[in-house]
Amino acid sequence: FGTVKLWEKDIGGGADKQYLKLDPVYADGRIYVADNDGKVEAIDAQSGHTLWKTDVDTPITGGPGVGENLVTVGTGKAEVITLAADSGKILWHSKVSSEVLSAPQPAGNIIVARTIDGKIFGLDSHDGTRLWTYEQTVPALTLRGTSAPVIAGNYLIAGFDEGRLAAVELQTGKLLWDDRIVIGKGRTELERMIDIDAEPVVVNNVIYVATFQGRIAAIALETGSMLWSREISSYAGICADDRAVYITDDDSVLWALDRANGNSLWKQAKLTARALTGPAISGDMIVVGDVEGYLHWVDKTTGEIAARRQISKKRIIATPISEDNIVYAYATDGTLAAYTTQQAQPEKK
């Protein structure tokens, strides 16, 4: 099993200073990426060539989000900015209540934006007009970060800082259900931190969600009822396929859990303390980045490490993305690299 670098380029840095998860996004043969200095760039996924580059002239703290031929970013100055996906032209700015630390999500006629003060805004995708607001209280002490809202049909799923998961109606912002995934334990506010900072994942009407200092749980999309839970703490991320849920825990141990019941299929502890990113699925592999700028390919079935490549001397915070057997990874110094994999060929006799 080997890896081949297809291309690499320097996008621009800034994410490391504030631990910003400015995850690149793949859509329609392009990679969209944003940096903290205010640059948004569209890159041809096959060649690595820049298609357009726009400076929004303010620090970007969340994004990009992509959909409906739009690219969206959130700023540290409490704005959502929307650009045309084909040209990079800035279409509109919309003011929200506070800093946006996750990607605003386009969905049909609505863009959903999450702010650090516990609010979710439904904005009209044509002009940024505020259509609705949903709000939850924020505890005194939280991790710096918010998970992006996840859209599943007409459901908007959002994790909050007190270990709560809420489903609201996409068109109206009306609350459908609200569940506490975990209750904070301990005497101090630090011990009781149970943020949901990893983006929930929805597969076949089941939501998989992880909390910091808490648990991973499977939740029924339509009712909010808990199907199973495990005591595993994570803020980095989770992903899922037909068989398993894959999770990076607080100690950078990788787990594969049976999707049906949460039982452990394998755990990989050789990357402990490497500050791993959330996992991404690439064919038969799980891919994670680490604090030293390495990408690691882990066998999805066995949990064994199959390959690793260093893309940068700086850490990778953004979860890698995988599309068409190509892995794209973005380091905090602005290095964006694309790798493909090749199986080792048996020797000819």
Side-chain angles (χ1 to χ4, degrees), residues 92-327:
W92 50 258
H93 297 234
S94 184
K95 197 76 178 163
V96 288
S97 56
S98 65
E99 194 174 13
V100 181
L101 289 184
S102 61
Q105 302 293 321
N109 61 325
I110 285 181
I111 289 170
V112 180
R114 168 84 188 276
T115 52
I116 200 171
D117 59 354
K119 293 187 176 75
I120 298 176
F121 293 88
L123 307 174
D124 188 306
S125 61
H126 300 296
D127 57 13
T129 303
R130 190 178 301 180
L131 301 175
W132 54 259
T133 308
Y134 175 79
E135 182 176 3
Q136 285 209 4
T137 57
V138 176
L141 187 65
T142 72
L143 294 176
R144 180 174 169 77
T146 55
S147 58
V150 174
I151 292 153
N154 193 38
Y155 288 82
L156 172 72
I157 310 300
F160 289 91
D161 289 336
E162 290 187 303
R164 303 193 77 91
L165 190 71
V168 302
E169 204 170 62
L170 180 61
Q171 293 297 325
T172 64
K174 174 189 166 192
L175 180 66
L176 298 171
W177 53 258
D178 170 24
D179 262 355
R180 188 180 281 278
I181 305 301
V182 64
I183 296 171
K185 299 171 184 174
R187 294 183 177 182
T188 68
E189 287 181 345
L190 184 63
E191 289 174 317
R192 292 194 300 270
M193 279 170 63
I194 45 172
D195 301 16
I196 298 177
D197 278 356
E199 208 167 288
V201 173
V202 182
V203 185
N204 293 341
N205 286 340
V206 178
I207 307 162
Y208 300 93
V209 60
T211 67
F212 177 62
Q213 295 189 149
R215 57 170 58 148
I216 177 170
I219 309 291
L221 174 66
E222 294 180 356
T223 63
S225 57
M226 192 177 294
L227 306 175
W228 57 257
S229 69
R230 281 283 303 269
E231 299 291 320
I232 296 178
S233 169
S234 174
Y235 56 85
I238 55 179
C239 62
D241 60 17
D242 290 342
R243 166 176 167 263
V245 182
Y246 306 92
I247 183 167
T248 303
D249 77 9
D250 288 359
D251 298 320
S252 291
V253 175
L254 272 173
W255 297 77
L257 308 179
D258 190 311
R259 251 190 53 202
N261 52 31
N263 292 343
S264 299
L265 299 173
W266 53 256
K267 67 184 275 196
Q268 172 53 266
K270 289 180 181 174
L271 302 173
T272 299
R274 293 187 73 93
L276 297 184
T277 66
I281 297 169
S282 178
D284 296 329
M285 297 286 151
I286 298 295
V287 186
V288 289
D290 76 10
V291 70
E292 294 179 347
Y294 281 94
L295 283 176
H296 305 268
W297 282 260
V298 176
D299 188 292
K300 204 166 73 167
T301 306
T302 65
E304 293 302 310
I305 297 169
R308 73 173 188 162
R309 290 288 293 266
Q310 189 173 28
I311 72 161
S312 166
K313 296 282 177 64
K314 293 291 187 179
R315 72 182 297 165
I316 302 170
I317 295 175
T319 298
I321 52 179
S322 171
E323 199 73 37
D324 298 330
N325 206 35
I326 299 173
V327 172

